[in-house]
Amino acid sequence: MTHQLVSTDPATDEVVATFDVQTAEEVNTIVARAREASPWWRDQGYDGRRDALLRWKRHLAKHSEDLVQLMHRENGKPLTDARLELMLALEHIAWVAKHAGKVLRPEKRRPGVLLANFTARVENLPYGVVGVIGPWNYPIFTPNGSIATALAAGNTVVFKPSEYTPAIAQWYVDAFAAANPDAPDGVLSLVTGFGETGAALCRAGVDKLAFTGSAPTGRKVMAACAESLVPVVMELGGKDAAIVAADADLARAADAIAFGAMGNSGQTCVGIERVYVERPVRDAFLEELTERVRTIRPGSDKSASYGPMTMPSQIEIVRRHVDDALTGGGIAVVGGRESIGDRYIEPVVILDPPHTSSAVQEETFGPTVTVTTVESLDEAVKLANDTPFGLAGAVFSRGHAEEIVDRLETSQVSVNSVLGFAGMAALPLGGRGESGFGRIHGPEGLREFTRPRAVATQRFPAPINLLTFGRKAWVVRLLPRLIRWVHAR
Ligand code: NDP
């Protein structure tokens, strides 16, 4: 009997869709089909691929309300959040479609004095077949950052979505085929299942693997890929901090931080989980933050600010972090232990939890935020950087923002705002440390899904030819002088 995967509405437990759990053999077949489609897709060139991606984008936009309803049902997020997520994904598809040719076109390089009789260039070739393993928190936007970029760079793609959001993924993949009926099967395909199906994808002969999810699973994916030396991109979690300086616009900071921390039920890898605020403005900031957070409400109705927790097991992690912070002496400014329900979590703001508590050290992925009082910006930067993660951060200051940006060790920083970098299709996104490595989005993302090939072409024989056993005696005698003349001065 075929093993089945049932996806449900996290607000009601109603069944949304049922999928087969695909075996390693089935995954191998789908990857083989993607490989067969590879020459066709590569031969479309940048213009052909741009047109195909833009047709896909238009199809997604035209039928967006169907997709948005499905995102609401399967992931739980409010309709407006689903629309915003889709809008950002469409921006990214448009950007990579239009810019891939310019970013990846062959580039001439200087051959250097010794080989001046050559021309030199670098070509950016697609890998072939790229495997993408995606998460459930932004079921379109997040995998799309790898999928659209890899496609625009000339790769075919096999996508394994999270077990919590396979129907959304199916809709997104089917839309590509619907918009491009002339494309062969296998340009963009789906495999469904649990972790083992993802592991099978790593071992199915893909040429590169892009993973988004947790660091522990990222390690397993890397280990599986290492067996065949498959290169990987790792987009992992974060513990992003916002620094609020004494000269910040506190109302603006509180507004942005409330959204950055609680939006999408806090299930955002680049969400704000920690705040460091300078003591002179601590109380005024807390007042502003509390005022905003008190108007935020989880639910599944039209006016809810955010939805249920998508993955039930996450609720226990949030409970443990809140409990740990409060037991250690943190003060519940908004909500507390009682905020954590069976499906929904009310907003929680905790003041001055111990730095060692799990709420400060580990990724919480819930609608909670810690606020820590600091005596100086130096202390704020030190504490913000004191984490194994290194995804993003935010700085709120009128006069010191740039100096704080310089000292933050994250890969993305927002100034006087949150999350903006993720919406800008021209900016790269990625991490360091436990937040992973490699880049998606922007020119850096396009290059991530290509391998450079160096081509050196001899135009005419040079009088000084060192690349032959028939080197002339005067050339051999000249070499020591040449070394001193070129490099010893
Ligand atoms: P995981 O990292 O476990 O899963 C992410 C993806 O990897 C899913 O598609 C999952 O499939 C797949 N997967 C699981 N095991 C394997 C494996 N052995 N080999 C290959 N693929 C595998 O994340 P979770 O969804 O379990 O969430 C756990 C934590 O991860 C959260 O608490 C949060 O902290 C973090 N997270 C971070 C995200 C980010 O954006 N950086 C996104 C989501 C989560 P399946 O779902 O079918 O198991």
Side-chain angles (χ1 to χ4, degrees):
M1 200 182 79
T2 320
H3 195 30
Q4 299 257 283
L5 156 63
V6 180
S7 90
T8 54
D9 182 333
T12 61
D13 291 340
E14 271 171 38
V15 172
V16 174
T18 304
F19 290 85
D20 287 346
V21 172
Q22 282 168 320
T23 60
E25 288 71 39
E26 288 168 314
V27 174
N28 289 344
T29 306
I30 290 166
V31 170
R33 207 181 305 138
R35 190 164 300 291
E36 278 167 31
S38 204
W40 182 87
W41 184 239
R42 213 179 38 229
D43 289 349
Q44 299 307 299
Y46 291 112
D47 290 351
R49 289 196 292 273
R50 179 196 59 214
D51 294 348
L53 289 168
L54 293 178
R55 277 194 293 272
W56 182 36
K57 181 200 71 137
R58 283 194 293 273
H59 183 98
L60 287 164
K62 210 163 156 188
H63 303 278
S64 55
E65 280 308 297
D66 294 345
L67 178 56
V68 158
Q69 292 291 342
L70 181 60
M71 289 165 80
H72 174 59
R73 281 177 66 216
E74 198 180 45
N75 167 281
K77 64 179 65 194
L79 293 169
T80 304
D81 284 6
R83 289 186 189 108
L84 175 63
E85 178 179 342
L86 181 58
M87 181 71 195
L88 293 179
L90 297 175
E91 291 279 321
H92 280 267
I93 295 175
W95 195 91
V96 292
K98 290 175 188 161
H99 290 81
K102 198 167 158 210
V103 172
L104 299 176
R105 70 182 166 208
E107 198 186 312
K108 276 191 182 162
R109 298 283 169 90
R110 284 178 189 278
V113 180
L114 276 185
L115 297 163
N117 57 324
F118 279 73
T119 57
R121 70 174 191 275
V122 178
E123 300 170 341
N124 295 299
L125 305 180
Y127 275 95
V129 182
V130 170
V132 174
I133 299 179
W136 41 266
N137 54 340
Y138 289 89
I140 293 286
F141 176 75
T142 301
N144 179 73
S146 299
I147 294 169
T149 315
L151 286 171
N155 305 280
T156 57
V157 172
V158 179
F159 172 31
K160 152 69 179 75
S162 162
E163 70 201 59
Y164 294 98
T165 51
I168 297 168
Q170 174 92 67
W171 204 104
Y172 165 84
V173 167
D174 287 350
F176 183 87
N180 292 289
D182 298 337
D185 264 7
V187 175
L188 172 59
S189 1
L190 187 77
V191 293
T192 51
F194 299 95
E196 301 82 64
T197 307
L201 180 59
C202 300
R203 298 188 170 103
V206 293
D207 302 296
K208 182 142 188 170
L209 196 291
F211 171 80
T212 308
S214 63
T217 305
R219 285 187 173 82
K220 289 185 200 160
V221 167
M222 281 184 76
C225 288
E227 292 167 13
S228 320
L229 292 179
V230 172
V232 293
V233 185
M234 289 280 134
E235 294 295 334
L236 309 177
K239 190 71 191 171
D240 292 1
I243 293 179
V244 180
D247 67 345
D249 177 334
L250 298 181
R252 200 161 142 195
D255 190 58
I257 288 169
F259 182 74
M262 317 290 170
N264 206 42
S265 317
Q267 304 169 131
T268 303
C269 57
V270 287
I272 300 295
E273 300 214 348
R274 304 174 287 154
V275 177
Y276 297 101
V277 57
E278 285 197 283
R279 187 175 293 281
V281 294
R282 197 267 315 268
D283 290 347
F285 168 74
L286 267 185
E287 208 173 293
E288 294 277 1
L289 183 65
T290 305
E291 191 186 305
R292 276 158 188 81
V293 170
R294 287 207 194 284
T295 66
I296 296 172
R297 182 180 60 78
S300 286
D301 54 289
K302 279 198 173 132
S303 59
S305 319
Y306 58 82
M309 299 298 282
T310 308
M311 186 171 76
S313 58
Q314 195 67 32
I315 296 174
E316 281 319 303
I317 297 174
V318 180
R319 195 190 309 278
R320 175 167 63 79
H321 287 193
V322 169
D323 191 55
D324 196 25
L326 297 179
T327 306
I331 300 160
V333 178
V334 178
R337 292 182 180 92
E338 69 287 358
S339 307
I340 300 162
D342 294 339
R343 292 181 199 278
Y344 299 96
I345 301 182
E346 304 275 345
V348 180
V349 178
I350 300 173
L351 177 63
D352 290 334
H355 183 63
T356 51
S357 74
S358 52
V360 180
Q361 295 297 326
E362 298 169 23
E363 187 171 41
T364 306
F365 237 54
T368 68
V369 68
T370 63
V371 178
T372 299
T373 318
V374 292
E375 306 305 332
S376 65
L377 288 176
D378 282 348
E379 188 187 358
V381 169
K382 188 164 166 261
L383 290 172
N385 283 338
D386 187 21
T387 166
F389 295 102
L391 200 51
V395 176
F396 294 87
S397 170
R398 287 190 173 96
H400 304 283
E402 286 305 323
E403 63 197 71
I404 302 170
V405 169
D406 268 0
R407 294 168 63 197
L408 281 179
E409 290 172 2
T410 59
S411 302
Q412 286 79 221
V413 188
S414 302
V415 176
N416 295 330
S417 177
V418 291
L419 305 174
F421 51 81
M424 293 176 200
L427 282 182
L429 182 88
R432 61 182 284 277
E434 290 284 306
S435 298
F437 53 84
R439 293 294 179 267
I440 58 172
H441 301 174
E444 291 78 5
L446 282 164
R447 285 190 203 101
E448 183 76 52
F449 290 102
T450 60
R451 60 186 174 85
R453 177 165 70 184
V455 181
T457 306
Q458 184 168 224
R459 288 180 300 149
F460 52 85
I464 303 178
N465 186 4
L466 295 166
L467 305 179
T468 169
F469 288 120
R471 288 182 287 240
K472 302 266 186 318
W474 67 268
V475 172
V476 173
R477 279 198 305 276
L478 184 67
L479 196 54
R481 262 183 282 160
L482 208 56
I483 289 173
R484 285 195 298 276
W485 184 65
V486 176
H487 292 291
R489 289 182 298 163

